[in-house]
Amino acid sequence: EVQLVESGGGLVQAGGSLRLSCAAYGFRFDDYAIGWFRQAPGKEREGVSCISINDGSTYYADSVKGRFTVSSDNAKNTVYLQMNSLKPEDTAVYYCAADYSGESTCGMIGWWGQGTKVIVSA
């Protein structure tokens, strides 16, 4: 059974840090890219970051460049999103997703995780 399980969300003050994890089960991890998306209340879901597990190439949305870092631990089938210098506008439910093209554009999503909530207080 394919599963993507996020963890690491929570409440943090502006300027603080959180690290999200996405553990993948049930598919050949190396063939995929893993993306992070977020959806704030009343807003559409947006892409945040993506990493190609095969070649390590990455993508970041302009809004998070220089603050967020995506990485993978292939031995653990896990992708991380290190979020530093958090801002109130980063508040959202964060989802990880598996892209079956394997490309760091993350435009071909096959599976989604259940999401983890991040709240950044001012």
Side-chain angles (χ1 to χ4, degrees):
E1 179 187 2
V2 172
Q3 277 191 300
L4 294 166
V5 181
E6 302 100 332
S7 60
L11 173 64
V12 64
Q13 288 187 329
S17 298
L18 283 174
R19 189 177 80 157
L20 305 184
S21 300
C22 172
Y25 305 93
F27 60 95
R28 187 178 170 88
F29 192 65
D30 292 358
D31 289 344
Y32 286 76
I34 301 295
W36 287 98
F37 298 78
R38 67 186 181 187
Q39 188 165 20
K43 295 188 176 181
E44 292 189 354
R45 185 173 56 204
E46 62 172 345
V48 174
S49 183
C50 181
I51 183 167
S52 169
I53 303 304
N54 182 44
D55 65 16
S57 59
T58 58
Y59 159 83
Y60 296 96
D62 287 344
S63 58
V64 305
K65 278 181 184 175
R67 299 189 298 123
F68 290 11
T69 303
V70 65
S71 62
S72 69
D73 184 336
N74 294 4
K76 296 182 178 180
N77 282 15
T78 299
V79 168
Y80 303 99
L81 186 68
Q82 179 67 44
M83 307 187 296
N84 298 329
S85 302
L86 283 161
K87 305 175 182 180
E89 51 263 43
D90 295 317
T91 295
V93 178
Y94 284 71
Y95 300 88
C96 68
D99 172 284
Y100 53 87
S101 75
E103 303 292 330
S104 58
T105 51
C106 278
M108 302 177 75
I109 299 299
W111 304 289
W112 292 91
Q114 83 287 352
T116 185
K117 185 175 289 187
V118 171
I119 300 173
V120 184
S121 63

